[in-house]
Short mmCIF file of all heavy atoms in Angstrom, two decimals:
data_model
loop_
_atom_site.label_atom_id
_atom_site.label_comp_id
_atom_site.label_asym_id
_atom_site.label_seq_id
_atom_site.Cartn_x
_atom_site.Cartn_y
_atom_site.Cartn_z
N PHE A 1 -10.55 11.12 -5.26
CA PHE A 1 -10.06 11.42 -4.07
C PHE A 1 -8.53 11.57 -4.06
O PHE A 1 -7.99 12.55 -3.48
CB PHE A 1 -10.35 10.27 -2.97
CG PHE A 1 -9.77 10.54 -1.59
CD1 PHE A 1 -10.53 11.28 -0.77
CD2 PHE A 1 -8.65 9.87 -1.25
CE1 PHE A 1 -9.97 11.45 0.55
CE2 PHE A 1 -8.04 10.05 0.01
CZ PHE A 1 -8.76 10.83 0.90
N GLN A 2 -7.82 10.73 -4.82
CA GLN A 2 -6.42 10.81 -5.03
C GLN A 2 -5.99 12.09 -5.72
O GLN A 2 -4.94 12.68 -5.50
CB GLN A 2 -5.89 9.64 -5.80
CG GLN A 2 -5.97 8.29 -5.07
CD GLN A 2 -5.60 7.12 -5.93
OE1 GLN A 2 -5.37 7.18 -7.13
NE2 GLN A 2 -5.51 5.91 -5.28
N ARG A 3 -6.97 12.62 -6.57
CA ARG A 3 -6.64 13.93 -7.26
C ARG A 3 -7.15 15.12 -6.38
O ARG A 3 -7.12 16.27 -6.89
CB ARG A 3 -7.44 14.02 -8.56
CG ARG A 3 -7.00 12.91 -9.65
CD ARG A 3 -7.72 13.01 -10.85
NE ARG A 3 -7.33 11.95 -11.82
CZ ARG A 3 -7.83 10.75 -11.92
NH1 ARG A 3 -8.80 10.36 -11.11
NH2 ARG A 3 -7.38 9.92 -12.77
N GLN A 4 -7.57 14.86 -5.17
CA GLN A 4 -8.00 15.82 -4.20
C GLN A 4 -9.24 16.61 -4.79
O GLN A 4 -9.46 17.74 -4.54
CB GLN A 4 -6.87 16.87 -3.94
CG GLN A 4 -5.71 16.25 -3.28
CD GLN A 4 -4.65 17.27 -2.84
OE1 GLN A 4 -4.57 18.39 -3.41
NE2 GLN A 4 -4.01 16.99 -1.66
N CYS A 5 -10.08 15.79 -5.50
CA CYS A 5 -11.37 16.25 -5.97
C CYS A 5 -12.43 15.52 -5.23
O CYS A 5 -12.25 14.45 -4.63
CB CYS A 5 -11.56 16.02 -7.41
SG CYS A 5 -10.41 16.98 -8.48
N SER A 6 -13.61 16.05 -5.20
CA SER A 6 -14.74 15.40 -4.44
C SER A 6 -15.97 15.32 -5.30
O SER A 6 -16.26 16.25 -6.10
CB SER A 6 -14.99 16.29 -3.18
OG SER A 6 -15.97 15.62 -2.34
N VAL A 7 -16.71 14.27 -5.09
CA VAL A 7 -18.03 14.13 -5.88
C VAL A 7 -19.17 14.29 -4.93
O VAL A 7 -19.20 13.72 -3.84
CB VAL A 7 -18.02 12.60 -6.42
CG1 VAL A 7 -19.33 12.39 -7.15
CG2 VAL A 7 -16.84 12.38 -7.37
N VAL A 8 -20.08 15.04 -5.41
CA VAL A 8 -21.25 15.43 -4.55
C VAL A 8 -22.52 15.11 -5.35
O VAL A 8 -22.71 15.56 -6.52
CB VAL A 8 -21.31 16.89 -4.30
CG1 VAL A 8 -22.41 17.19 -3.25
CG2 VAL A 8 -19.89 17.37 -3.73
N PHE A 9 -23.48 14.33 -4.75
CA PHE A 9 -24.78 14.02 -5.26
C PHE A 9 -25.75 14.99 -4.46
O PHE A 9 -25.88 14.83 -3.25
CB PHE A 9 -25.15 12.56 -5.01
CG PHE A 9 -24.62 11.59 -6.00
CD1 PHE A 9 -23.79 11.94 -7.01
CD2 PHE A 9 -25.07 10.25 -5.96
CE1 PHE A 9 -23.28 11.09 -7.93
CE2 PHE A 9 -24.58 9.38 -6.90
CZ PHE A 9 -23.66 9.76 -7.84
N PHE A 10 -26.45 15.81 -5.12
CA PHE A 10 -27.56 16.54 -4.55
C PHE A 10 -28.87 15.84 -5.03
O PHE A 10 -29.18 15.78 -6.20
CB PHE A 10 -27.59 18.02 -5.02
CG PHE A 10 -26.46 18.81 -4.58
CD1 PHE A 10 -25.32 18.92 -5.30
CD2 PHE A 10 -26.47 19.48 -3.37
CE1 PHE A 10 -24.24 19.62 -4.90
CE2 PHE A 10 -25.49 20.31 -2.95
CZ PHE A 10 -24.31 20.35 -3.71
N VAL A 11 -29.62 15.28 -4.05
CA VAL A 11 -30.82 14.46 -4.41
C VAL A 11 -32.07 15.16 -3.96
O VAL A 11 -32.29 15.20 -2.73
CB VAL A 11 -30.70 13.04 -3.81
CG1 VAL A 11 -31.78 12.18 -4.20
CG2 VAL A 11 -29.35 12.41 -4.15
N ASP A 12 -32.78 15.73 -4.87
CA ASP A 12 -34.00 16.47 -4.56
C ASP A 12 -35.15 15.56 -4.39
O ASP A 12 -35.20 14.43 -4.91
CB ASP A 12 -34.21 17.59 -5.54
CG ASP A 12 -34.97 18.87 -5.02
OD1 ASP A 12 -35.41 18.76 -3.89
OD2 ASP A 12 -35.07 19.75 -5.78
N ASN A 13 -36.21 16.05 -3.75
CA ASN A 13 -37.47 15.26 -3.52
C ASN A 13 -37.15 13.85 -2.87
O ASN A 13 -37.83 12.86 -3.10
CB ASN A 13 -38.16 15.05 -4.85
CG ASN A 13 -38.53 16.38 -5.46
OD1 ASN A 13 -39.24 17.19 -4.90
ND2 ASN A 13 -38.13 16.58 -6.65
N ALA A 14 -36.20 13.85 -2.02
CA ALA A 14 -35.72 12.56 -1.53
C ALA A 14 -36.71 11.80 -0.54
O ALA A 14 -36.57 10.63 -0.29
CB ALA A 14 -34.42 12.77 -0.61
N GLN A 15 -37.73 12.61 -0.03
CA GLN A 15 -38.78 11.86 0.77
C GLN A 15 -39.48 10.88 -0.05
O GLN A 15 -40.09 9.94 0.55
CB GLN A 15 -39.69 12.97 1.40
CG GLN A 15 -40.73 13.52 0.43
CD GLN A 15 -40.22 14.60 -0.46
OE1 GLN A 15 -39.07 15.09 -0.23
NE2 GLN A 15 -40.92 14.94 -1.53
N ASP A 16 -39.51 10.89 -1.39
CA ASP A 16 -40.29 9.99 -2.16
C ASP A 16 -39.43 8.77 -2.78
O ASP A 16 -39.93 8.04 -3.55
CB ASP A 16 -40.90 10.75 -3.26
CG ASP A 16 -41.99 11.67 -2.80
OD1 ASP A 16 -42.68 11.37 -1.83
OD2 ASP A 16 -42.18 12.74 -3.43
N ILE A 17 -38.08 8.83 -2.42
CA ILE A 17 -37.27 7.72 -2.97
C ILE A 17 -37.54 6.38 -2.24
O ILE A 17 -37.79 6.31 -1.10
CB ILE A 17 -35.78 8.13 -2.79
CG1 ILE A 17 -35.42 9.33 -3.60
CG2 ILE A 17 -34.90 6.98 -3.23
CD1 ILE A 17 -34.06 9.88 -3.39
N ALA A 18 -37.61 5.33 -2.98
CA ALA A 18 -37.88 3.98 -2.46
C ALA A 18 -36.78 3.64 -1.48
O ALA A 18 -35.66 4.00 -1.52
CB ALA A 18 -37.86 2.95 -3.57
N GLU A 19 -37.23 2.90 -0.38
CA GLU A 19 -36.26 2.57 0.71
C GLU A 19 -35.07 1.90 0.29
O GLU A 19 -33.97 2.22 0.68
CB GLU A 19 -37.07 1.74 1.75
CG GLU A 19 -36.16 1.40 3.01
CD GLU A 19 -36.92 0.60 3.97
OE1 GLU A 19 -37.62 1.13 4.79
OE2 GLU A 19 -36.75 -0.72 3.94
N LYS A 20 -35.23 0.93 -0.62
CA LYS A 20 -34.07 0.14 -1.12
C LYS A 20 -33.05 0.99 -1.81
O LYS A 20 -31.87 0.84 -1.69
CB LYS A 20 -34.54 -1.02 -2.02
CG LYS A 20 -33.35 -1.93 -2.42
CD LYS A 20 -33.83 -3.06 -3.34
CE LYS A 20 -32.65 -4.03 -3.63
NZ LYS A 20 -31.53 -3.28 -4.24
N VAL A 21 -33.67 2.02 -2.62
CA VAL A 21 -32.73 2.89 -3.32
C VAL A 21 -31.94 3.76 -2.37
O VAL A 21 -30.68 3.99 -2.47
CB VAL A 21 -33.55 3.73 -4.34
CG1 VAL A 21 -32.61 4.75 -5.05
CG2 VAL A 21 -34.19 2.82 -5.41
N LEU A 22 -32.70 4.29 -1.30
CA LEU A 22 -31.97 5.04 -0.32
C LEU A 22 -30.90 4.29 0.38
O LEU A 22 -29.78 4.80 0.67
CB LEU A 22 -33.00 5.60 0.79
CG LEU A 22 -33.69 6.91 0.37
CD1 LEU A 22 -34.71 7.25 1.51
CD2 LEU A 22 -32.64 8.11 0.25
N VAL A 23 -31.13 3.04 0.79
CA VAL A 23 -30.19 2.23 1.36
C VAL A 23 -28.97 2.04 0.51
O VAL A 23 -27.79 2.16 1.01
CB VAL A 23 -30.84 0.78 1.79
CG1 VAL A 23 -29.70 -0.16 2.14
CG2 VAL A 23 -31.79 0.93 2.77
N ASP A 24 -29.20 1.76 -0.80
CA ASP A 24 -28.02 1.60 -1.68
C ASP A 24 -27.22 2.81 -1.82
O ASP A 24 -26.00 2.84 -1.85
CB ASP A 24 -28.46 1.13 -2.97
CG ASP A 24 -28.99 -0.40 -2.94
OD1 ASP A 24 -28.56 -1.10 -2.05
OD2 ASP A 24 -29.72 -0.85 -3.88
N LEU A 25 -27.89 3.99 -1.91
CA LEU A 25 -27.22 5.31 -2.00
C LEU A 25 -26.36 5.54 -0.73
O LEU A 25 -25.24 5.97 -0.78
CB LEU A 25 -28.20 6.45 -2.23
CG LEU A 25 -28.80 6.53 -3.63
CD1 LEU A 25 -29.81 7.60 -3.70
CD2 LEU A 25 -27.64 6.96 -4.67
N LEU A 26 -27.01 5.29 0.38
CA LEU A 26 -26.35 5.47 1.69
C LEU A 26 -25.13 4.58 1.85
O LEU A 26 -24.11 4.94 2.51
CB LEU A 26 -27.27 5.50 2.84
CG LEU A 26 -28.35 6.62 2.88
CD1 LEU A 26 -29.40 6.25 3.93
CD2 LEU A 26 -27.73 7.89 3.04
N LYS A 27 -25.20 3.39 1.35
CA LYS A 27 -24.06 2.50 1.43
C LYS A 27 -22.91 3.08 0.62
O LYS A 27 -21.74 2.90 0.98
CB LYS A 27 -24.46 1.08 0.91
CG LYS A 27 -25.29 0.36 1.98
CD LYS A 27 -25.69 -1.06 1.44
CE LYS A 27 -26.40 -1.85 2.43
NZ LYS A 27 -26.92 -3.22 1.98
N LEU A 28 -23.20 3.58 -0.57
CA LEU A 28 -22.17 4.22 -1.35
C LEU A 28 -21.59 5.43 -0.65
O LEU A 28 -20.34 5.57 -0.64
CB LEU A 28 -22.72 4.71 -2.71
CG LEU A 28 -22.76 3.86 -3.87
CD1 LEU A 28 -23.23 4.60 -5.10
CD2 LEU A 28 -21.32 3.34 -4.23
N GLN A 29 -22.32 6.18 0.05
CA GLN A 29 -21.94 7.35 0.81
C GLN A 29 -21.02 6.97 1.94
O GLN A 29 -20.14 7.76 2.35
CB GLN A 29 -23.13 8.15 1.32
CG GLN A 29 -22.89 9.28 2.21
CD GLN A 29 -22.80 8.87 3.71
OE1 GLN A 29 -22.07 9.46 4.47
NE2 GLN A 29 -23.71 7.94 4.04
N ASN A 30 -21.05 5.72 2.42
CA ASN A 30 -20.25 5.26 3.56
C ASN A 30 -18.94 4.76 3.05
O ASN A 30 -18.13 4.39 3.94
CB ASN A 30 -21.01 4.12 4.34
CG ASN A 30 -21.97 4.76 5.33
OD1 ASN A 30 -21.67 5.74 5.92
ND2 ASN A 30 -23.01 4.09 5.60
N LEU A 31 -18.55 4.77 1.75
CA LEU A 31 -17.33 4.46 1.38
C LEU A 31 -16.32 5.46 1.81
O LEU A 31 -16.58 6.73 1.67
CB LEU A 31 -17.19 4.40 -0.15
CG LEU A 31 -18.02 3.29 -0.85
CD1 LEU A 31 -18.08 3.46 -2.34
CD2 LEU A 31 -17.45 1.91 -0.50
N ARG A 32 -15.11 5.11 2.47
CA ARG A 32 -14.22 6.07 3.09
C ARG A 32 -12.85 5.83 2.76
O ARG A 32 -12.41 4.69 2.34
CB ARG A 32 -14.39 6.03 4.57
CG ARG A 32 -15.81 6.22 5.09
CD ARG A 32 -15.87 6.23 6.52
NE ARG A 32 -17.28 6.20 7.07
CZ ARG A 32 -17.78 6.85 8.06
NH1 ARG A 32 -16.98 7.73 8.73
NH2 ARG A 32 -18.91 6.77 8.52
N ALA A 33 -12.02 6.90 2.81
CA ALA A 33 -10.58 6.83 2.84
C ALA A 33 -10.19 7.28 4.24
O ALA A 33 -10.21 8.59 4.44
CB ALA A 33 -9.95 7.60 1.76
N GLY A 34 -9.85 6.49 5.17
CA GLY A 34 -9.69 6.90 6.51
C GLY A 34 -11.03 7.29 7.05
O GLY A 34 -11.97 6.64 7.05
N LYS A 35 -11.12 8.61 7.50
CA LYS A 35 -12.31 9.11 8.13
C LYS A 35 -13.11 9.95 7.11
O LYS A 35 -14.25 10.35 7.40
CB LYS A 35 -12.03 9.97 9.34
CG LYS A 35 -11.49 9.21 10.53
CD LYS A 35 -11.25 10.09 11.77
CE LYS A 35 -10.77 9.32 12.95
NZ LYS A 35 -10.49 10.23 14.17
N GLU A 36 -12.51 10.14 5.88
CA GLU A 36 -13.15 10.95 4.91
C GLU A 36 -13.97 10.12 3.93
O GLU A 36 -13.56 9.18 3.42
CB GLU A 36 -12.14 11.76 4.18
CG GLU A 36 -11.28 12.70 5.08
CD GLU A 36 -10.36 13.51 4.18
OE1 GLU A 36 -9.56 12.90 3.41
OE2 GLU A 36 -10.25 14.73 4.48
N HIS A 37 -15.16 10.65 3.69
CA HIS A 37 -16.08 10.02 2.77
C HIS A 37 -15.70 10.31 1.30
O HIS A 37 -15.37 11.45 1.02
CB HIS A 37 -17.55 10.48 2.99
CG HIS A 37 -18.14 10.00 4.33
ND1 HIS A 37 -18.88 8.98 4.50
CD2 HIS A 37 -17.91 10.49 5.60
CE1 HIS A 37 -19.28 8.82 5.65
NE2 HIS A 37 -18.70 9.77 6.41
N LEU A 38 -15.78 9.28 0.47
CA LEU A 38 -15.38 9.50 -0.95
C LEU A 38 -16.48 10.11 -1.70
O LEU A 38 -16.29 10.76 -2.73
CB LEU A 38 -15.11 8.11 -1.63
CG LEU A 38 -13.90 7.35 -1.02
CD1 LEU A 38 -13.61 6.06 -1.78
CD2 LEU A 38 -12.71 8.15 -0.90
N LEU A 39 -17.77 9.92 -1.26
CA LEU A 39 -18.90 10.50 -1.98
C LEU A 39 -19.77 11.34 -0.90
O LEU A 39 -20.03 10.85 0.22
CB LEU A 39 -19.88 9.43 -2.48
CG LEU A 39 -21.19 9.88 -3.08
CD1 LEU A 39 -21.04 10.78 -4.31
CD2 LEU A 39 -22.10 8.61 -3.42
N GLN A 40 -20.01 12.54 -1.25
CA GLN A 40 -20.83 13.48 -0.38
C GLN A 40 -22.26 13.41 -0.98
O GLN A 40 -22.44 13.58 -2.20
CB GLN A 40 -20.35 14.90 -0.38
CG GLN A 40 -18.83 15.03 -0.30
CD GLN A 40 -18.24 14.28 0.85
OE1 GLN A 40 -18.66 14.41 1.99
NE2 GLN A 40 -17.19 13.52 0.54
N ILE A 41 -23.25 13.22 -0.13
CA ILE A 41 -24.65 13.21 -0.61
C ILE A 41 -25.43 14.22 0.30
O ILE A 41 -25.41 14.20 1.41
CB ILE A 41 -25.39 11.76 -0.44
CG1 ILE A 41 -24.61 10.80 -1.46
CG2 ILE A 41 -26.85 11.89 -0.75
CD1 ILE A 41 -25.23 9.38 -1.33
N VAL A 42 -26.20 15.12 -0.49
CA VAL A 42 -27.05 16.05 0.20
C VAL A 42 -28.51 15.62 -0.19
O VAL A 42 -28.90 15.71 -1.35
CB VAL A 42 -26.81 17.49 -0.22
CG1 VAL A 42 -27.75 18.42 0.44
CG2 VAL A 42 -25.35 17.93 -0.03
N LEU A 43 -29.22 15.02 0.81
CA LEU A 43 -30.58 14.71 0.59
C LEU A 43 -31.54 15.88 0.81
O LEU A 43 -31.36 16.46 1.92
CB LEU A 43 -31.02 13.50 1.44
CG LEU A 43 -30.33 12.20 1.26
CD1 LEU A 43 -30.83 11.16 2.22
CD2 LEU A 43 -30.52 11.69 -0.16
N VAL A 44 -32.45 16.20 -0.06
CA VAL A 44 -33.24 17.44 0.03
C VAL A 44 -34.66 16.98 -0.05
O VAL A 44 -35.06 16.19 -0.96
CB VAL A 44 -32.91 18.39 -1.10
CG1 VAL A 44 -33.67 19.68 -0.90
CG2 VAL A 44 -31.44 18.66 -1.08
N GLY A 45 -35.52 17.43 0.83
CA GLY A 45 -36.88 16.98 0.75
C GLY A 45 -37.84 17.79 1.70
O GLY A 45 -37.47 18.68 2.47
#
């Protein structure tokens, strides 16, 4: 983020991911600098 770069996770077949794993991934996605998310996640399914 400080280097003005962004990290993106594209997660395919996400309908089959275990609930606990989804929760942990979404908690990571909620890390922010101000209003901007540090991790972008695209769930695909």
Side-chain angles (χ1 to χ4, degrees):
F1 180 82
Q2 292 173 355
R3 297 179 180 89
Q4 298 185 332
C5 294
S6 188
V7 179
V8 189
F9 280 5
F10 293 92
V11 184
D12 209 351
N13 300 305
Q15 76 280 346
D16 293 326
I17 296 176
E19 182 180 277
K20 184 180 184 306
V21 177
L22 271 177
V23 167
D24 288 338
L25 283 173
L26 292 173
K27 286 180 178 177
L28 269 185
Q29 175 268 146
N30 275 327
L31 293 172
R32 306 183 192 220
K35 293 183 179 180
E36 297 183 313
H37 293 258
L38 300 184
L39 173 65
Q40 321 305 310
I41 295 181
V42 182
L43 295 180
V44 184

